Every structure is written in C-alpha cells, then in structure tokens.
Amino acid sequence: MFYRFNVSEWVLHGPARGADVAAVRRVFEGSELSGATTIGGKPLLLKALTEDAETPQEEQTCAMTIGVLDKVQELSLLWTLSLITGNRVNSLLVDTFDDAGGLIEVRHQRGAGMSRGRNAPFRRFHGWITAKGIEQIADGITRLQRAGFPIETVLHHLTEANTRNLDLDGQHLSLAIHTALEAWNRLFGIDLWIDDEIWEPWYELLRKNLLRPVLKPACEDIGSEVVSNIWALGRHANRSTTAWRQTQIFAALEIDVSDADSQRVLAMRDELLHNGHFLTRFQQLKAAEQQRRLDDLARLRNISHTMVLRLTGFSGECFDFLTHCERRVEVVKLPTEISSQQN
C-alpha cells in the first residue's frame, strides 16, 4: 500500500533547537542576484546558487542576514528581490542558526509561486544594481509598508506585467500607477475639495433652485437615467478627481509627463482602465502604429518603474525599456512618513 502526501511546508529541527536565532538563510527561486549590502541596518549577503540558468524557474539565490528581520522587513526582502529581478520570486527554504552557527531549524516551502515572464529594471550591462541601490530599495519598501502605502500591490502589478500580451501588460502597468496615486492621495492629498458638512447645504440650494427646476421637466426628454447621473455628479462634485490626483503624485515625484509622448501614454492608460483592453486591436494597426504601441508600452513601463524607484528613495542607474540603454533616476524629497529619515 502506498501513500502520497501533499504539504505546503516541511519543518526539520536541528541540534540547536530552542536557541535564540542569530542568523537566517533564505533560498529563493527566480533570481541569481549576488552581492553584499544591508537591510534594516543588518548585514545582508546575497549569493547566486545557480549560474546562467536556462529559465527563471531554475534560478536560485541565497539571502542571509545576520540578525532577525521582522515580518515587514521579510516582505521587503522578497519584494526587493522581485523588483530588481523583474519577476516575483518565491521562497523555497528558510534556515535559522544560533550565534555559534548551530542549526536551529530548516523550513522547506513549496515552489511555483513565481510570476510569469521577466522585465528587469536593472541589467548586467545597462543599469546594474549596486549594493547601495539594494539597500535603498529594501529600506524604502519597508518604510512604505509601515506607512500604510500598498507598495506590495504596486510591485505585484509590475511583476505581473510580463505576459507579452499588450492588453494584460498595459492593464497591470496602468493599475500599478493607479494604486500608487490613490494611496498617495489618501496619505498626502485630499479626498474632498470641501467638507461634506459644508458642501451638502450648498448642494441642496443648487438642487432646489437650479437643478430641480431644469431637470424635472426634462425627464421625459432625456430620460430618468441621465437625470439620476446628473444628480450623482452634483452630489459628488466636491471630490478630487483621478486626473488631479495623478498630477499630484507625478509632481511630487518630479516625473515630467508634459511632453506629447507621455500625454498619449497616459491617455492610453485611461483607455485601458475604462475598457480593459485596446479597442483597436494590434493586427488592425499599420506597421508604424504597431511600433508606436510597443514603444508606448515601454514608456508606460518606464513611468511605472520611475514612480516606484523614487517612492523607495532610490538614486542611481537603471534600465530604459524604450531605448534599451541605462537611464538615471535621481532621489527626490519625500514626505517625512516615507523619507529616508524615517526609521
């Protein structure tokens, strides 16, 4: 008789079981990153366990910290490796050791938690990530999480935007920007132009003296559905708009989108958010138009990655998805809650 078990985690206790944890070693699939840096002030050693693996699923890297990371920092490490690598990595194994090097515990975890495809913002020959850059990104992601900024959701959309399907990739890049601008507005912007308790009396006056006399007789001509929409628009006219919120985060992060190409890309983003796909299909476009759509997706990817890198406080070279060369990302002044001065 044979038995087959399917488990998501398997734990093996070592000879130092029960001792205080002094160091942690993690093995991730989906990355071959190596280097020495810090995270949360603790030494972080990254060592690739594979070399030039044929597929991302075969890649493995080891990340060892001297000292214990809290739960937020653990997530920051995962998402830092994911951002740098260009795909969502997955934890396979976690070893813990005492201060004498004795093994406390080995925790094996199932694989297959990676995202599809890869678009790395750092490349070996164009914008290679430095040890300082890894530290900036990791600690920046930690600060954003602690401030309640959903950076992990933004990064999830970035790592999912690697399917080579232009509609799906464009949607995820658009949602990455949308998630960030809404979160920025909740933390640092305004939801209402005028407080509801001030606006409601004004709206009642408008409805009684202006809207009702005009709209009530018009119901038969324009329909009750249109009238209902006008009522709703009037009631919520004091709310800040998505376009205004988008302008605020781009201005704060010093991302210039005033040129014609950027404006077209943002209009494309709006189309994807409203329709879920490109209304004019790729095969319906002429050759030059097809190339422009591909280029515009690269521009949208550049904007999305610049936004994330500046939110983390990163400064350095990264990969340009449009020109396939390196480009410079400078640090900008951030609100105190998420700045590098915040521990």
Side-chain angles (χ1 to χ4, degrees), residues 180-254:
L181 72 87
E182 291 292 346
W184 182 275
N185 188 69
R186 282 191 296 273
L187 288 172
F188 311 118
I190 57 172
D191 190 37
L192 302 174
W193 302 120
I194 306 169
D195 290 340
D196 271 336
E197 57 267 25
I198 298 174
W199 171 247
E200 281 297 332
W202 276 99
Y203 175 67
E204 289 301 323
L205 285 173
L206 287 171
R207 186 169 66 171
K208 179 180 178 181
N209 298 312
L210 179 62
L211 294 178
R212 183 173 294 164
V214 173
L215 293 177
K216 190 172 181 180
C219 276
E220 293 183 4
D221 295 327
I222 64 176
S224 59
E225 293 83 5
V226 175
V227 171
S228 295
N229 282 345
I230 295 175
W231 286 127
L233 287 171
R235 181 171 296 280
H236 299 292
N238 64 324
R239 300 184 68 87
S240 59
T241 64
T242 300
W244 180 85
R245 297 173 186 182
Q246 179 175 271
T247 299
Q248 297 307 300
I249 187 172
F250 285 158
L253 299 180
E254 298 181 18

Side-chain angles (χ1 to χ4, degrees), residues 73-90:
Q73 292 169 327
E74 288 281 358
L75 284 175
S76 296
L77 176 58
L78 173 73
W79 285 112
T80 296
L81 295 178
S82 298
L83 173 62
I84 293 170
T85 304
N87 56 264
R88 189 173 66 253
V89 303
N90 182 57

